[in-house]
Amino acid sequence: MSTYSSWRSDQGNMRALSDELAAQAAMARSREAALNRRLRSLEGDLSSRVEVLQRLVNALIELGEVREELALFAPARRARDAARALTRAVVTGEGDVSHLRRAPDLADVPGYWLVPAALAVADLPAGRVDAEAAQEALLRDRRRAATYLVAVCALVGRPGLAREWAPWALDAPVLPAAGWGSADGAPEPAPARTTSARAAAGDPAPDEVLVTGAERALWLAAAAGALGDDGAADVRRALRERVALLDDDARARWRTRLLEAAPALPGGGADWGTPADHARGRRRAAAPDTLPLLRSWAAWSRAVADGEIVAPAAEPRPLLLGAAGVPSGATAAPGGDEDAEAPGEALLRVVGSLVDEGAPVERDLLQRAEVLGERVGRAPEDDGPAWDASAGTLVDLLVADARGTDPGRAAFVAPLVADDLRDASHARAAQLAAAPAPSRALRLGGRTVTVTPTDDATAPAATARAELLARPVEGPSWGVVGAAGAAAVVALVLGIVAGPAWFVVTVVAGVVAAWQWFAGEQRGRDQRMQAQQRAEQFDADLAAARRDVAAEADRARTQREAVATVVSDLDEALADVGARTPA
């Protein structure tokens, strides 16, 4: 082997070895990068897990500290448990509750409203309320005590005993703060004037007026006749004051919501243009046509005015718990919303929320303990929303009751929605009356002819037709015909003078002239025929447009007259609703 061949072999081996070393180095770098990523991921997971465990430990430590603090208020906790037992016995009608009333744990806690309130209702089964204990509870916390007393008396079937406190429970969110605070002496934040005073002073209305869970529960009880005539009047008065707080935007939304769908009562179905599918309280969307919609509301208003849709008789009755845990006297009215909460259930939930809330000195600690308990993994207690939590906006609740299937609630809110329902129906009728008249636009020969109910467009149509038919047509090209004819004559002369070969040119030129003349004449006839056909089609379209416009105008006029009649009937029915509603 030569020296050169040996050198080339060594060089090839060195390149192969270099490539292999480079590949191994790249693989090592890739493995190193993968290991680094894995280490960073493990460090991140470990760090997050340590952070989660740290938060959990901190929550457990804080929960222990909160429980230690709550242990300092053991008398309040024992008094709350004893008051809960006494309240449950009174509400469920267990009979003699003297042993619960004399329970050693039911000791007065300074500043706590619950103990005197529970003692005030201990004699409810006998038809008595301890006025002195009730006044003491009201002095300690007017808002909570009034709500508790009214709710418990309604559950027992004696709402008249707490009637004097019902306005305080319903006006609670706007009571003066001065002099009516929590038991620890700190007044609760509240506006400086009552609802009626704010309205009289011309204060700006809020964007939305909310209804608390306690107010909604009393609302449902009043609609079910569980508060008596006086209690229903108090609730309706409070709702009227809240309606007065609605601003223009809220009222506009209210009127729009009212006419978004037809009411479920009376009867539903196609007779009144209302939806007929009420399975499990769900309803199909009503037809958006104005006339069926207004007819359904007129029928609803007339049924309310004539007593066909009526609230249950105002005969307070005990709303007791049955064996299955459902208030036996608190079920929804026949044909009502099956999924709706019964008045007794709502009142019981309010009372339970008030009792479980705790004394003022421990209330924040109890709420913090509940939050920390959920954070460390304890399942939250599903007791429903708190008594002072929002149950919805006033507009939404009023519309839901008016359009719902419960006759008691519909009859109860009918006087409240009457004015806005009247305004909404008049606005819808005015919108229908202001709709533009039907029209049809036709085009012929560059002209637009518009047909309306008051103008059948006879003159514009005649002008457009005459202009179309008077347009010049493209006939024979006389220049070409003349040139071809002149060429034929010249060729003929040359054929006579010079020789017969020119006769061929004469024949060709004559044929061209004749063809140009006949083709032009045919083109002119075709254009005149097309213009005539367009004019005839235009006449047919014009006659059809006149018929369609007249028919649409007649239908619109008939609908406007029918809507005006229905709106008049609705006005009369709503006036009767207002007349038969007690002030």
Side-chain angles (χ1 to χ4, degrees), residues 446-528:
R447 279 184 174 271
T448 300
V449 178
T450 303
V451 180
T452 65
T454 57
D455 183 8
D456 61 358
T458 301
T463 302
R465 194 175 190 280
E467 289 181 355
L468 177 66
L469 296 178
R471 283 183 177 181
V473 298
E474 185 180 355
S477 179
W478 296 110
V480 176
V481 173
V489 171
V490 172
L492 178 61
V493 172
L494 290 175
I496 295 172
V497 175
W502 287 98
F503 290 120
V504 176
V505 178
T506 301
V507 172
V508 172
V511 170
V512 170
W515 178 78
Q516 286 292 329
W517 182 80
F518 282 110
E521 287 293 326
Q522 182 63 37
R523 185 166 53 250
R525 286 193 298 270
D526 292 342
Q527 290 179 359
R528 284 189 291 271

Side-chain angles (χ1 to χ4, degrees), residues 55-57 59-60 63 67 371-378:
R55 288 199 300 266
L56 182 61
V57 171
L60 287 171
L63 181 59
R67 287 175 175 173
V371 173
L372 292 173
E374 296 179 7
R375 187 174 298 175
V376 300
R378 188 183 66 184

Side-chain angles (χ1 to χ4, degrees), residues 132-153:
E132 183 178 352
Q135 290 301 323
E136 179 63 26
L138 292 168
L139 286 173
R140 295 182 181 184
D141 195 319
R142 186 176 187 177
R143 181 184 180 188
R144 290 176 174 83
T147 304
Y148 172 89
L149 293 171
V150 173
V152 172
C153 288

Side-chain angles (χ1 to χ4, degrees), residues 26 42 163 191 224 229 237 255 275 320 340 365 370 413 472 489 499 505 527:
L42 291 175
R163 197 251 166 156
D229 291 333
R237 175 196 56 78
R255 294 163 186 167
L320 305 179
L365 292 174
E370 184 177 356
V413 302
V489 171
V505 178
Q527 290 179 359

Side-chain angles (χ1 to χ4, degrees), residues 98 162 252-253 361 368 389 415 419 451 453 497 520 554:
S98 57
R253 190 171 70 87
V361 292
R368 184 60 180 167
D419 292 339
V451 180
V497 175
D554 186 63

